[in-house]
Amino acid sequence: MAAAAGEPEVIRDKAAMRAWSRRRRAEGRTVVLVPTMGFLHEGHLSLVSEAAAIAGPIAVVVSIYVNPSQFAPTEDLATYPSDLAGDLRKLASTGAVHAVFNPPDLYVRGGTAVGASAGAAVSCLDAAVGGDGHETWIRVERLEKGLCGSSRPVFFRGVATVVAKLFNIVEPDVAVFGKKDYQQWRLICRMVRDLDFAIEIIGSEIVREADGLAMSSRNVHLSREERDKALSINRSLVNARTAALNHSNSASEHIKKQIVQTLTEAGGQVDYVEIVEQESLVPVETIDRPVTICVAAFFGKVRLIDNIEIHPRS
């Protein structure tokens, strides 16, 4: 069914989505995908703006799908916020989105649940399928290690697999990802390179609240007090960048300790603070090249991530 004027067409079937993209390409349009898990905020809409700014005739697709394979059974899949009607209103208000891909499920589910072998990483999808269910995974083996991969061992396996599935279904020419999920963005770039996807990947800058908190769908779970404490993340990152730019060859370990101290004193529980080379994500000892400081910390039960890029003066 055709969408009303100004409203994106909502597509739920995989074959219909693929056919839609192929029709747009036959019309001479560039198909641009913005993958999301819904509960959209201004950060997501900034990705849409980035997509809409691409030159030439374009067709913008926003996918809305909460991917079970990137959540461990102990994580917040069941409570991940959702508001499809609100999302559709927000996307329609942009006037830039032509289609929304909102599939009911992207995985073949088996008939019998099976337990994982001892020590194996298990996702919410693993816990729910078995027999002839989904069993094919994409691993970006080095980039998925460290940072978020250390505490979330199934996360990037799930991300790489679902993004590859979206690429195969939507068949975009361009895809836009937010750089707030820095490791994810770099991992997708590497997957696209290594598997020869003919897709340009655009990394869009972090969008922040007026007080500096990076926009995230999980922010809704923060109490007012926790949210105030979480402002220490951006504050510590800005201070670290200032320190690094004012002192040549700044020692990473010293700067990391300062960030940990700031977050801990604010009441946060630090998951990690790492200073890494921007493409390889390899930790560096001194900030004498382009690096990114990546942070993950809990405030209450909410895990927040943030980062800041540093380009030292030559």
Side-chain angles (χ1 to χ4, degrees):
M1 181 181 296
E7 294 184 357
E9 180 177 353
V10 179
I11 303 171
R12 292 178 61 79
D13 179 73
K14 292 186 284 188
M17 182 70 255
R18 186 177 290 115
W20 185 96
S21 290
R22 290 179 179 181
R23 287 195 299 272
R24 301 294 83 77
R25 191 171 291 104
E27 296 168 357
R29 296 181 178 273
T30 296
V31 178
V32 187
L33 172 65
V34 180
T36 81
M37 295 208 302
F39 206 71
L40 305 181
H41 50 66
E42 288 300 320
H44 295 108
L45 299 183
S46 75
L47 304 182
V48 172
S49 297
E50 190 95 37
I54 293 173
I58 59 172
V60 177
V61 181
V62 174
S63 64
I64 297 177
Y65 180 67
V66 180
N67 174 38
S69 72
Q70 68 191 60
F71 292 83
T74 56
E75 293 178 336
D76 57 351
L77 174 63
T79 60
Y80 197 85
S82 176
D83 179 16
L84 181 60
D87 290 344
L88 294 177
R89 286 194 298 270
K90 290 174 183 177
L91 294 175
S93 72
T94 70
V97 179
H98 301 85
V100 172
F101 181 45
N102 177 228
D105 197 359
L106 286 179
Y107 297 92
V108 175
R109 306 286 179 143
T112 305
V114 294
S117 59
V122 179
S123 73
C124 289
L125 184 71
D126 293 312
V129 304
D132 59 352
H134 182 94
E135 61 174 320
T136 303
W137 302 102
I138 293 178
R139 309 295 296 259
V140 184
E141 293 188 350
R142 187 178 53 75
L143 285 183
E144 72 174 29
K145 296 176 181 176
L147 302 177
C148 287
S150 295
S151 58
R152 306 187 70 189
V154 301
F155 179 73
F156 289 115
R157 181 190 75 167
V159 167
T161 300
V162 79
V163 170
K165 288 171 74 67
L166 288 169
F167 286 173
N168 285 330
I169 294 164
V170 180
E171 297 183 342
D173 302 291
V174 181
V176 183
F177 290 82
K179 289 167 73 172
K180 184 177 82 71
D181 300 286
Y182 199 86
Q183 186 177 14
Q184 172 180 283
W185 169 55
R186 290 298 188 186
L187 179 136
I188 295 303
C189 290
R190 188 63 52 86
M191 180 188 77
V192 164
R193 185 200 72 178
D194 290 352
L195 297 185
D196 297 305
F197 282 102
I199 301 171
E200 178 187 356
I201 304 298
I202 293 176
S204 186
E205 298 300 328
I206 296 173
V207 176
R208 299 184 180 278
E209 306 282 0
D211 56 15
L213 186 67
M215 289 188 177
S216 169
S217 298
R218 289 187 169 92
N219 290 351
V220 69
H221 294 309
L222 293 166
S223 69
R224 179 174 296 180
E225 181 182 3
E226 289 165 351
R227 194 187 183 287
D228 288 342
K229 292 178 178 179
L231 299 180
S232 61
I233 301 176
N234 183 51
R235 185 170 68 249
S236 69
L237 289 172
V238 171
N239 289 342
R241 181 174 62 183
T242 299
L245 293 178
N246 288 341
H247 302 85
S248 61
N249 292 343
S250 297
S252 296
E253 198 61 35
H254 173 72
I255 289 177
K256 287 162 57 176
K257 287 180 179 178
Q258 292 294 109
I259 295 173
V260 170
Q261 181 178 344
T262 299
L263 299 182
T264 303
E265 289 178 351
Q269 179 183 342
V270 176
D271 184 353
Y272 66 77
V273 176
E274 294 290 349
I275 303 178
V276 297
E277 193 277 329
Q278 291 187 353
E279 289 196 23
S280 68
L281 304 185
V282 172
V284 301
E285 294 184 0
T286 58
I287 301 178
D288 55 1
R289 72 200 83 171
V291 301
T292 301
I293 306 178
C294 298
V295 170
F298 287 88
F299 287 85
K301 296 182 179 180
V302 184
R303 183 178 184 274
L304 301 176
I305 62 172
D306 203 343
N307 66 78
I308 196 165
E309 292 180 315
I310 301 177
H311 297 270
R313 302 179 184 91
S314 58

